[in-house]
C-alpha cells in the first residue's frame, strides 16, 4: 500500500484533476492507495484574505468568497457530465453557504481569532477532497472521503497545531481502510480534543500523508508536486540546480527546516520513525524518477560530493543580545529561550560567541517587534545597569544553509565555502554549525542571497565554473576580444572546465545585456540604444544591480570616465581587466584610490596590456620586485607605432611617408599626432614608475614630442600629414650623421632613480633597439641579478589582436583566481 499526496498545483484545474485521476488509476494497478489532497491552488491564500477582510469589518470579503465559489464552480462544470452536475452544484452551494455564514460571523464580531481562521481555512481541503473523490467515482474508481478532522488529533494551537501521535495513530487505523475504495483524505486540517478545527501549518498536507503512511504501515509515501524532486538548490534562483536522486531523512529535514519548500519540515519525522521511504514526484512529469528519501547510506558513486544541497530563507531578522554581564552567568540562555517560547516566537537560527558575551538569533520579520519588546522586558534590569546592551535588531537579511551527510569528517568544506563567499564579496554576518556537521547556516544581506546561492552551488556541484564578463567599448580591441572568446570558449569548457560568459557590452551609444550570455556571433544585433545619457555610470549600476557571482568588468576604451569607475567596482568586489591606461596613468589621486580599493577588496585588478599590449612586462617587473631583486633601470621602446616608424626609417624611408603608411595600416590613432606626441609612451613609463613605488605624475615624465611646432595648431589629420614633409630632411640628415658614429636613431624611454624620460635618442647599431622589426616593443630590465646581462622582453607591441589577446589572458588569470 502507498500513500499519494497531491498538492494544490497538481489539482489546480479540471484538466489537472483528470490527470491526477490517471496517476491514481496507474498506481492502483500496482498496489492499494490512500490519497491525500491539498486545497486547489491559490484557494488557501484567498481564504486567508477573505477571513482577514472580514475580521477588519471590510465587506470586500464577500467578493473574495465569490471568487472562491466561481473558481470551484468552473472546475465542477468542466469536470462532471450533465447527469452528475446537479448534485455537484447543489453540494457546492451548500458548502459555500456554510462558509459565508462563518465569515459573516467573523465580520460581525470584527475579530479574527486563530480558532476562526483555522475553521475558514479548512474549507479549502473539504472542497477539493469532495471534488476529487466524486470525480474518481464517476471515472469508475471506488473512492470515499475521509475528513482528517475525524482522524488527526492535535492540541488547541489552532493555526500550527502539535499532533497527538498516539491518538492519531489509533484513529487512523480504526477509520482509514483502503481495501474496498480509495480513501481521499483532507490534508492540512485536523481537530483539537474539544472538536474545534486546527491545522498543521502551511504545506501541512505532506505531514498528513506521512502520518497516514506511518500509522497504516505503508510501503512508501509519494508526495506529488509541481517539481521533479528535491533540487540541489532552488531552480528558480540557481539556473544550474539539479535534482537530487537520493537523500537521507536527516538531510531532507535539514533542507526543509532551512527553507526548502518541497516538503513540510515535520513530514519526515513519521516516515523516518516508521522507516518508510518518501518519494518526491512531479505530477506534471510523472515519468521523472524524482527524489527518494530514506535511511540507507548513499554509495559514493551516487553522490560523491560532501554537500547534498543548499537552501535559503530570504527574509529573516537578526536579534543580538550582548554584554559583558552575560559572561559566566548561568541561566542567561535559558531565560532568553524561555521568554521567546512563552510568546510563541520561533527561532530559525542560533549563534553564540565562545566568550558567552553575545547570542544572535534569527527570526521571521513578523515576530521581530514582539521579540525585541519581550526580551527588553525580560532583561530590563541588566539593560538598565548596562550589564547587557539594548537588544540590537538587524533587518533585510537572509539565511543560507549548506546541508550534507558527508560534510561530517570531510576537511575543507568550510574553507571552500567561506573562500567562495569572500572572493565574491559576500559578507557573512553570523554563522552556525551543529555538532553533527550536517548543516552550516549563514546569515547574509538579503541583497546577496541569489549571488551566494549561485556561487556556493557552483563551487560544490559543478565541475565547470562560470565567469560573467561585462565589456566596455566596442572598438578594435573589443571586437578582437569578442572574436577570441567566441573561438576559444568551447575549448576552455572542455579542457579547463571554464565557461567565459559575456553578459554585457556597452559603448557611448548602445548597450546589450543578457545574464545567460550574449550570442557572440551576432552581438551587434543585440546592441540597443541607451535610453538615458548617463554613460558608463548607468552601465555600472546595471552590473551592480545584477549582482552576479564571479563578475569581471573588461575595459577596452580610452575613457577617463570608465577609469574613474574602477574604485567603485573593486570596492564591490567586482574584478577588472583593463587595456585603458587612464586609470593607472591618471592623476595620482585616482591611482591611489584604485590601489586602495583593490587592497581592501577580494577583487582582482589586472592591467598588463597598459604597457606592452600582449607582452608580459608588468608581470615580469612584479616577479622581479616580489622575489627581492632590485631594479636599477628600465629602458626600451614601448610604442608599437613609433617602433614601426623608426624601423622603417632605418630602411631608408621618408619620415612623412612612413607616418602615412603607419596610419593606413591602422598602427596609429585617427590623428597620428596623438602617437607622435609621445604621450602614450610617457603614460606607459609612468605606470612602470608607479609600479616601482615612485610618486610620479604625468607632468614629471620628460616627454619629447615629434610633432613639429608648425603642425601643433588646429588642422585636420590629412593637412597635418601633408605638412609633415617639412621635417623629412632633418630625419634623413640625423640618420646619416648617426651612421658615421656607428649609431642610429630611435624613440626610447628610460626609468632610472625615480626619473622618467622619453624621446629621440642615438643608439648603437648593434643595440637590441636597432634590431626591432615592424611594431615590436622591447623592454630591458637592468637589476642586481641581471646586471651584466640585462633581462629583455621583446615582441609585438601594437595591434588589436595582440592587445585583445593580452586582455583575454588577464580575464583567464582572474577566472583562475575566482574559481
Amino acid at each position: 500500500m502507498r500513500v499519494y499526496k497531491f498538492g494544490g498545483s497538481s489539482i489546480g484545474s479540471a484538466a489537472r484533476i483528470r490527470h491526477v485521476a490517471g496517476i491514481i488509476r496507474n498506481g492502483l494497478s500496482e498496489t492499494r492507495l490512500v490519497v491525500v489532497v491539498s486545497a486547489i491552488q491559490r484557494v488557501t491564500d484567498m481564504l486567508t484574505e477573505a477571513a482577514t477582510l472580514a475580521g477588519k469589518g471590510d465587506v470586500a470579503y464577500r467578493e473574495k468568497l465569490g471568487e472562491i465559489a466561481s473558481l470551484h464552480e468552473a472546475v465542477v462544470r468542466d469536470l462532471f457530465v450533465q447527469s452528475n452536475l446537479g448534485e455537484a452544484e447543489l453540494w457546492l452551494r451548500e458548502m459555500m453557504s456554510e462558509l459565508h455564514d462563518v465569515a459573516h460571523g467573523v465580520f460581525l464580531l470584527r475579530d479574527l481569532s486563530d480558532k476562526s481562521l483555522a475553521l475558514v481555512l479548512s474549507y479549502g481541503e473539504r472542497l477539493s477532497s469532495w471534488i476529487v473523490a466524486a470525480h474518481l467515482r464517476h471515472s469508475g474508481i471506488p473512492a470515499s472521503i475521509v475528513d482528517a478532522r475525524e482522524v488527526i488529533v492535535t492540541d488547541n494551537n489552532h493555526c500550527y497545531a502539535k499532533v497527538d501521535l498516539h491518538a492519531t495513530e489509533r484513529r487512523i487505523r480504526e477509520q482509514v481502510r483502503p481495501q474496498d475504495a480509495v480513501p481521499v483524505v483532507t490534508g492540512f486540517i485536523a481537530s483539537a480534543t474539544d472538536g474545534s478545527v486546527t491545522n498543521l501549518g502551511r504545506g501541512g498536507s505532506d505531514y498528513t500523508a506521512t502520518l497516514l503512511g506511518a500509522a497504516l504501515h505503508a510501503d512508501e509515501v509519494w508526495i506529488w508536486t509541481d517539481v521533479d524532486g528535491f533540487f540541489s538548490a532552488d531552480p528558480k534562483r540557481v539556473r544550474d540546480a539539479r535534482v537530487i536522486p537520493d537523500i537521507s531523512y536527516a538531510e531532507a529535514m535539514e533542507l526543509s527546516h532551512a527553507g526548502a519548500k518541497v516538503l513540510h519540515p515535520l513530514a519526515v519525522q513519521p516516515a523516518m520513525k516508521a522507516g518508510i521511504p518518501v518519494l518526491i514526484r512531479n505530477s506534471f512529469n510523472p515519468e521523472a524518477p524524482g527524489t527518494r528519501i530514506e535511511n540507507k547510506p548513499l554509495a559514493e558513486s551516487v553522490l560523491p560530493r560532501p554537500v547534498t544541497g543548499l537552501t535559503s530563507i530570504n527574509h529573516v531578522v537578526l536579534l543580538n543580545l550582548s554584554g559583558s554581564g552575560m559572561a559566566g552567568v548561568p541561566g542567561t540562555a535559558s531565560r532568553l529561550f524561555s521568554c521567546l517560547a512563552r510568546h510563541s516566537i520561533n527561532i530559525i537560527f542560533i549563534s553564540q560567541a565562545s566568550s558567552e558575551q553575545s547570542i544572535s538569533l534569527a527570526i521571521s520579520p513578523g515576530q521581530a517587534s514582539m521579540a525585541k519588546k519581550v526580551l527588553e522586558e525580560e532583561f530590563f534590569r541588566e539593560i538598565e545597569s548596562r550589564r547587557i546592551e539594548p537588544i540590537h535588531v538587524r533587518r533585510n537579511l537572509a539565511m543560507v544553509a549548506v546541508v550534507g551527510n558527508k560534510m561530517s569528517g570531510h576537511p575543507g568544506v568550510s574553507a571552500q565555502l567561506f573562500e567562495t563567499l569572500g572572493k565574491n564579496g559576500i559578507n557573512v554576518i553570523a554563522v552556525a554549525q551543529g555538532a553533527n556537521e550536517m548543516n552550516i547556516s549563514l546569515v547574509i544581506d538579503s541583497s546577496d542571497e541569489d549571488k551566494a546561492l549561485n556561487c556556493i552551488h557552483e563551487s560544490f556541484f559543478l565541475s565547470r565554473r562560470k565567469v560573467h564578463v561585462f565589456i566596455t567599448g566596442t572598438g578594435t580591441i573589443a571586437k578582437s576580444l569578442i572574436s577570441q572568446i567566441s573561438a576559444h570558449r568551447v575549448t576552455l569548457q572542455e579542457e579547463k572546465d571554464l565557461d567565459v560568459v559575456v553578459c554585457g557590452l556597452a559603448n557611448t551609444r548602445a548597450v546589450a545585456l543578457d545574464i545567460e550570455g550574449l550570442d557572440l556571433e551576432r552581438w551587434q544585433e543585440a546592441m540597443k540604444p541607451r535610453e538615458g545619457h548617463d554613460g558608463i555610470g548607468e552601465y555600472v549600476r546595471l552590473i551592480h544591480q545584477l549582482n552576479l557571482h564571479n563578475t569581471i568588468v573588461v575595459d577596452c576604451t580610452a575613457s577617463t570616465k570608465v577609469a574613474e569607475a574602477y574604485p567603485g567596482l573593486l570596492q564591490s568586489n567586482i574584478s577588472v581587466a583593463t587595456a585603458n591606461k587612464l586609470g593607472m596613468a591618471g592623476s595620482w589621486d585616482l591611482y591611489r584610490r584604485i590601489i586602495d580599493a583593490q587592497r581592501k577588496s577580494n577583487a582582482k585588478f589586472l592591467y598588463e596590456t597598459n604597457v606592452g599590449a600582449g607582452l608580459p612586462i608588468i608581470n615580469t617587473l612584479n616577479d622581479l620586485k616580489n622575489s627581492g631583486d632590485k631594479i636599477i633601470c628600465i629602458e626600451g621602446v614601448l610604442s608599437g607605432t613609433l617602433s614601426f616608424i623608426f624601423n622603417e626609417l632605418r630602411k631608408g624611408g621618408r619620415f612623412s611617408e612612413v607616418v602615412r603608411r603607419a596610419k593606413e595600416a591602422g598602427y596609429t590613432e585617427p590623428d597620428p599626432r596623438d602617437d607622435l606626441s609621445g604621450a602614450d609612451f610617457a603614460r606607459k613609463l609612468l605606470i612602470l614608475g608607479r609600479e616601482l613605488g615612485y610618486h610620479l605624475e604625468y607632468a614629471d615624465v620628460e616627454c619629447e614630442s615629434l610633432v613639429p611646432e608648425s603642425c601643433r595648431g588646429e588642422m585636420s589629420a590629412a593637412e597635418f600629414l601633408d605638412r609633415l614633409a617639412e621635417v623629412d630632411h632633418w630625419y634623413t640628415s640625423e640618420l646619416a650623421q648617426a651612421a658615421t658614429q656607428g649609431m642610429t636613431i630611435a624613440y626610447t624611454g628610460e626609468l632610472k632613480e625615480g626619473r622618467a624620460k622619453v624621446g629621440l635618442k642615438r643608439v648603437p647599431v648593434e643595440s637590441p633597439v636597432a634590431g626591432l622589426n615592424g611594431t615590436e616593443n622591447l623592454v630591458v630590465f637592468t637589476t642586481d641579478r641581471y646586471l651584466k646581462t640585462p633581462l629583455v622582453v621583446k615582441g609585438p607591441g601594437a595591434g588589436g589582436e595582440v592587445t585583445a589577446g593580452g586582455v583575454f589572458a588577464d580575464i583567464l588569470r582572474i577566472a583562475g583566481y575566482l574559481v
Side-chain angles (χ1 to χ4, degrees):
M1 192 268 289
R2 291 183 192 141
V3 175
Y4 276 9
K5 176 264 175 178
F6 293 95
S9 59
S10 297
I11 57 170
S13 66
R16 292 180 184 178
I17 291 173
R18 291 190 186 96
H19 180 64
V20 162
I23 292 175
I24 293 171
R25 183 176 287 105
N26 290 337
L28 286 169
S29 66
E30 301 176 2
T31 184
R32 292 173 297 151
L33 294 179
V34 172
V35 172
V36 177
V37 293
S38 298
I40 289 175
Q41 191 172 27
R42 297 190 303 111
V43 169
T44 301
D45 289 336
M46 295 166 75
L47 286 166
T48 303
E49 188 174 345
T52 303
L53 289 169
K56 293 177 179 178
D58 189 337
V59 295
Y61 81 90
R62 295 168 186 163
E63 295 178 15
K64 189 58 61 178
L65 293 182
E67 292 177 27
I68 295 170
S70 297
L71 187 156
H72 288 88
E73 285 170 7
V75 171
V76 164
R77 287 172 183 168
D78 191 347
L79 208 55
F80 296 106
V81 296
Q82 193 63 39
S83 59
N84 301 313
L85 183 58
E87 176 195 357
E89 288 184 326
L90 176 61
W91 165 83
L92 181 57
R93 282 196 296 272
E94 291 175 350
M95 288 290 288
M96 290 307 302
S97 175
E98 185 181 313
L99 174 57
H100 270 279
D101 289 344
V102 173
H104 185 60
V106 172
F107 171 76
L108 292 174
L109 292 172
R110 302 292 196 273
D111 178 44
L112 179 63
S113 64
D114 285 352
K115 189 174 184 178
S116 298
L117 178 60
L119 177 58
V120 171
L121 295 182
S122 72
Y123 282 87
E125 277 70 18
R126 290 158 66 185
L127 288 165
S128 64
S129 61
W130 192 96
I131 293 172
V132 171
H135 175 67
L136 290 176
R137 287 195 298 271
H138 296 313
S139 303
I141 301 173
S144 61
I145 299 173
V146 175
D147 191 332
R149 293 177 296 174
E150 302 297 323
V151 296
I152 297 181
V153 184
T154 70
D155 62 11
N156 60 0
N157 186 2
H158 291 89
C159 285
Y160 205 97
K162 182 179 180 182
V163 175
D164 182 334
L165 296 175
H166 181 71
T168 296
E169 182 177 338
R170 187 181 69 253
R171 288 196 185 185
I172 290 173
R173 289 178 179 175
E174 290 173 352
Q175 300 185 41
V176 182
R177 297 184 177 88
Q179 288 87 351
D180 302 324
V182 175
V184 178
V185 185
T186 54
F188 174 62
I189 63 176
S191 64
T193 53
D194 63 1
S196 59
V197 178
T198 62
N199 67 55
L200 307 180
R202 293 303 292 264
S205 296
D206 297 340
Y207 193 16
T208 304
T210 56
L211 286 168
L212 287 162
L216 297 172
H217 304 294
D219 295 303
E220 294 171 334
V221 175
W222 290 26
I223 306 294
W224 291 93
T225 181
D226 55 1
V227 294
D228 283 345
F230 258 109
F231 278 74
S232 51
D234 184 348
K236 294 177 182 177
R237 315 188 80 161
V238 178
R239 296 181 295 279
D240 298 312
R242 70 273 306 271
V243 175
I244 308 168
D246 297 272
I247 60 174
S248 68
Y249 292 124
E251 288 170 322
M253 287 177 64
E254 292 283 356
L255 288 168
S256 298
H257 278 285
K261 296 180 175 64
V262 179
L263 192 64
H264 189 279
L266 298 178
V268 177
Q269 295 177 1
M272 179 170 63
K273 186 176 179 181
I276 300 171
V278 178
L279 282 78
I280 309 297
R281 301 290 297 271
N282 189 347
S283 62
F284 299 92
N285 182 21
E287 303 304 317
T291 298
R292 188 177 182 86
I293 305 168
E294 58 186 334
N295 224 10
K296 68 178 184 181
L298 305 177
E300 286 293 328
S301 58
V302 175
L303 195 64
R305 297 179 179 87
V307 174
T308 299
L310 54 144
T311 187
S312 64
I313 300 174
N314 55 7
H315 294 293
V316 300
V317 171
L318 198 67
L319 270 68
N320 192 58
L321 183 72
S322 64
S324 58
M326 293 170 58
V329 178
T332 302
S334 174
R335 288 173 60 194
L336 172 66
F337 300 131
S338 297
C339 174
L340 295 176
R342 285 196 302 273
H343 293 86
S344 302
I345 295 170
N346 184 47
I347 300 171
I348 302 169
F349 168 103
I350 303 168
S351 178
Q352 182 174 15
S354 59
S355 65
E356 302 180 38
Q357 293 191 45
S358 71
I359 301 175
S360 296
L361 309 169
I363 60 174
S364 65
Q367 295 184 308
S369 297
M370 172 63 76
K372 182 176 187 293
K373 178 177 179 292
V374 299
L375 289 178
E376 286 177 340
E377 291 173 355
E378 176 69 28
F379 292 96
F380 172 77
R381 291 183 180 178
E382 290 87 344
I383 294 172
E384 189 177 42
S385 62
R386 298 187 179 181
R387 287 177 289 159
I388 291 179
E389 299 295 324
I391 308 298
H392 180 259
V393 178
R394 185 164 179 176
R395 300 179 183 272
N396 301 317
L397 302 176
M399 189 191 81
V400 175
V402 180
V403 176
N405 264 341
K406 295 181 184 175
M407 287 163 52
S408 177
H410 194 292
V413 174
S414 295
Q416 184 175 342
L417 171 63
F418 291 113
E419 181 183 22
T420 299
L421 294 171
K423 287 179 177 178
N424 281 279
I426 298 168
N427 181 44
V428 176
I429 298 164
V431 61
Q433 180 175 10
N436 62 6
E437 300 182 50
M438 189 187 295
N439 182 335
I440 303 175
S441 294
L442 315 163
V443 176
I444 60 174
D445 283 320
S446 57
S447 60
D448 285 328
E449 183 183 0
D450 283 0
K451 186 178 182 181
L453 288 171
N454 277 276
C455 71
I456 296 170
H457 186 271
E458 185 174 284
S459 178
F460 285 103
F461 288 93
L462 303 183
S463 56
R464 180 178 295 168
R465 311 292 182 82
K466 286 182 182 178
V467 290
H468 300 96
V469 174
F470 294 84
I471 299 173
T472 61
T474 55
T476 303
I477 295 172
K479 288 176 181 175
S480 296
L481 175 62
I482 292 167
S483 296
Q484 290 177 23
I485 293 173
S486 178
H488 200 50
R489 186 178 177 189
V490 173
T491 303
L492 288 171
Q493 290 172 346
E494 293 175 351
E495 297 183 2
K496 302 295 184 182
D497 284 324
L498 176 66
D499 193 7
V500 179
V501 183
V502 178
C503 299
L505 288 164
N507 56 33
T508 56
R509 301 172 304 282
V511 64
L513 287 171
D514 187 343
I515 61 174
E516 298 293 337
L518 296 167
D519 182 348
L520 298 186
E521 299 297 325
R522 306 174 63 183
W523 61 268
Q524 289 96 335
E525 299 173 21
M527 300 291 287
K528 304 297 181 185
R530 290 180 180 273
E531 294 181 359
H533 302 281
D534 202 26
I536 184 62
E538 179 62 24
Y539 186 50
V540 170
R541 274 195 292 275
L542 289 170
I543 296 171
H544 282 290
Q545 185 177 332
L546 290 171
N547 202 24
L548 298 174
H549 67 291
N550 298 343
T551 296
I552 306 172
V553 170
V554 180
D555 184 6
C556 296
T557 72
S559 166
T560 302
K561 288 186 177 180
V562 178
E564 288 172 347
Y566 297 165
L569 290 166
L570 294 169
Q571 286 165 4
S572 298
N573 283 278
I574 295 174
S575 296
V576 177
T578 177
N580 183 357
K581 305 173 188 65
L582 299 181
M584 298 306 281
S587 67
W588 181 258
D589 175 66
L590 175 59
Y591 170 79
R592 288 308 312 169
R593 286 192 291 116
I594 293 171
I595 296 300
D596 289 344
Q598 182 190 14
R599 287 174 178 169
K600 293 175 182 177
S601 76
N602 291 318
K604 287 290 184 181
F605 179 70
L606 298 185
Y607 47 98
E608 182 64 73
T609 55
N610 279 195
V611 175
L615 296 181
I617 294 173
I618 292 176
N619 280 341
T620 301
L621 173 59
N622 284 326
D623 287 344
L624 292 169
K625 186 175 64 172
N626 294 336
S627 65
D629 202 355
K630 181 181 178 182
I631 312 298
I632 297 172
C633 178
I634 300 175
E635 55 191 331
V637 176
L638 286 172
S639 168
T641 303
L642 294 173
S643 179
F644 174 83
I645 290 171
F646 283 91
N647 292 340
E648 293 299 304
L649 275 178
R650 285 191 284 273
K651 296 177 183 178
R654 295 170 61 85
F655 184 74
S656 60
E657 293 174 354
V658 172
V659 172
R660 191 181 298 274
R661 289 208 310 272
K663 183 179 186 303
E664 291 170 354
Y667 295 147
T668 73
E669 296 294 329
D671 188 337
R673 284 175 291 183
D674 293 339
D675 298 284
L676 296 177
S677 69
D680 185 65
F681 197 150
R683 289 191 186 97
K684 293 176 180 179
L685 210 61
L686 172 62
I687 292 170
L688 292 177
R690 288 175 170 177
E691 285 294 303
L692 290 178
Y694 298 125
H695 185 158
L696 294 173
E697 292 280 9
Y698 177 77
D700 296 327
V701 182
E702 297 178 31
C703 181
E704 179 183 356
S705 174
L706 301 183
V707 180
E709 288 284 351
S710 61
C711 299
R712 295 180 185 180
E714 291 290 332
M715 66 182 72
S716 66
E719 184 182 353
F720 164 71
L721 288 172
D722 291 339
R723 295 180 61 175
L724 192 60
E726 64 189 51
V727 296
D728 286 347
H729 176 72
W730 185 88
Y731 281 98
T732 301
S733 173
E734 180 66 16
L735 277 166
Q737 290 180 28
T740 63
Q741 303 171 356
M743 310 279 278
T744 186
I745 60 173
Y747 195 85
T748 68
E750 181 183 82
L751 177 64
K752 188 174 183 180
E753 296 178 350
R755 296 184 60 189
K757 59 182 179 179
V758 296
L760 202 59
K761 181 181 179 181
R762 290 186 180 184
V763 296
V765 292
E766 64 274 11
S767 164
V769 170
L772 294 175
N773 293 302
T775 61
E776 286 183 332
N777 275 2
L778 178 143
V779 177
V780 179
F781 294 96
T782 303
T783 73
D784 280 351
R785 294 175 190 159
Y786 295 91
L787 188 60
K788 294 182 179 179
T789 306
L791 177 62
V792 177
V793 178
K794 174 183 174 183
E801 285 290 328
V802 172
T803 305
V807 174
F808 195 7
D810 277 350
I811 292 172
L812 296 180
R813 289 188 190 98
I814 295 173
Y817 160 76
L818 290 174
V819 305

